[in-house]
């Protein structure tokens, strides 16, 4: 993809964000200090994990979360997947990233990284140490929109995750 996919999003507080999604095989060109989140399309067999997050009741997303200060994004991905799903990351690849700008407050852009990965369970999911994830599910490509719909950007993320699995 040469041109980014773009969208705007207004949160519950009325703040508006500009979203630009870029496919990328690497994140090394991004300023890591401005990378705030990482999410993975985490595959177990032919399904991937979605998590129910209590901070947004009834809201399902791919597994992932915040990158901690001083943490490399790859480390954050592995940690977040373990914490939120009790899964071990066996392998991962970048899919792309979303450049997000708070238009309301005219802030510096930040980056949200997207990966595809293969996982296996450490054991059954019991709880997220942070207490935010209450349930996990494994969903197929044909059913993920029942759980989260990130529009054209989400479709591109899932499509690329599927494509990279078949390499």
């Amino acid at each position: 993809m040469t041109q980014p996919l773009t969208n705007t999003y207004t949160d519950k507080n009325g703040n508006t964000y500009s979203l630009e999604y870029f496919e990328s095989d690497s994140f090394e060109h991004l300023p890591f200090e401005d990378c705030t989140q990482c999410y993975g399309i985490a595959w177990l067999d032919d399904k991937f994990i979605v998590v129910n997050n209590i901070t947004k009741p009834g809201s399902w997303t791919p597994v992932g979360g915040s990158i901690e200060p001083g943490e490399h994004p790859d480390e954050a991905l592995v940690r977040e997947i373990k914490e939120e799903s009790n899964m071990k990351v066996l392998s991962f690849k970048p899919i792309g990233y979303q450049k997000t700008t708070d238009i309301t407050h005219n802030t510096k852009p930040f980056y949200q990284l997207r990966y595809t990965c293969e996982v296996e369970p450490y054991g059954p999911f019991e709880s997220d140490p942070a207490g935010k994830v209450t349930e996990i599910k494994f969903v197929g490509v044909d059913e993920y929109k029942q759980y989260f719909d990130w529009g054209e950007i989400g479709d591109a993320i899932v499509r690329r995750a599927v494509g990279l699995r078949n390499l």
Side-chain angles (χ1 to χ4, degrees), residues 18 23-24 27 36 57 83 97 100 105 110 127 137-138 161:
S18 166
E23 287 185 352
S24 185
F27 301 132
T36 62
E83 289 176 357
Y97 61 93
T100 304
H105 300 100
F110 58 93
S127 67
K137 288 190 181 198
F138 298 91

Side-chain angles (χ1 to χ4, degrees), residues 26 61 81 125 151 165:
S26 171
T61 65
I81 289 175
F125 173 76
R165 285 192 85 212

Side-chain angles (χ1 to χ4, degrees), residues 5-51:
L5 294 176
T6 60
N7 199 353
T8 56
Y9 167 75
T10 302
D11 69 15
K12 65 182 179 183
N13 298 319
N15 299 314
T16 301
Y17 299 87
S18 166
L19 310 174
E20 296 176 272
Y21 175 74
F22 301 84
E23 287 185 352
S24 185
D25 295 328
S26 171
F27 301 132
E28 295 302 316
H29 64 288
L30 297 175
F32 283 159
E33 66 274 8
D34 297 329
C35 295
T36 62
Q37 294 179 343
C38 60
Y39 282 83
I41 303 297
W43 299 96
L44 179 64
D45 300 321
D46 62 344
K47 296 186 181 233
F48 66 90
I49 303 167
V50 293
V51 299

Side-chain angles (χ1 to χ4, degrees), residues 24-135:
S24 185
D25 295 328
S26 171
F27 301 132
E28 295 302 316
H29 64 288
L30 297 175
F32 283 159
E33 66 274 8
D34 297 329
C35 295
T36 62
Q37 294 179 343
C38 60
Y39 282 83
I41 303 297
W43 299 96
L44 179 64
D45 300 321
D46 62 344
K47 296 186 181 233
F48 66 90
I49 303 167
V50 293
V51 299
N52 190 356
N53 190 319
I54 64 168
T55 59
K56 298 176 188 171
S59 173
W60 293 86
T61 65
V63 64
S66 297
I67 300 170
E68 295 177 358
E71 186 176 43
H72 190 278
D74 296 352
E75 295 169 330
L77 176 75
V78 171
R79 177 186 51 76
E80 285 287 346
I81 289 175
K82 180 179 182 183
E83 289 176 357
E84 292 190 351
S85 67
N86 201 30
M87 295 284 165
K88 177 181 182 180
V89 175
L90 302 174
S91 64
F92 60 87
K93 297 176 191 173
I95 294 173
Y97 61 93
Q98 187 165 274
K99 178 181 175 183
T100 304
T101 306
D102 182 342
I103 297 170
T104 304
H105 300 100
N106 194 28
T107 61
K108 180 179 173 183
F110 58 93
Y111 301 89
Q112 300 167 317
L113 311 181
R114 308 299 186 233
Y115 294 82
T116 186
C117 51
E118 300 291 329
V119 298
E120 69 180 14
Y122 284 108
F125 173 76
E126 293 177 12
S127 67
D128 168 17
K132 293 181 181 176
V133 172
T134 58
E135 184 180 3

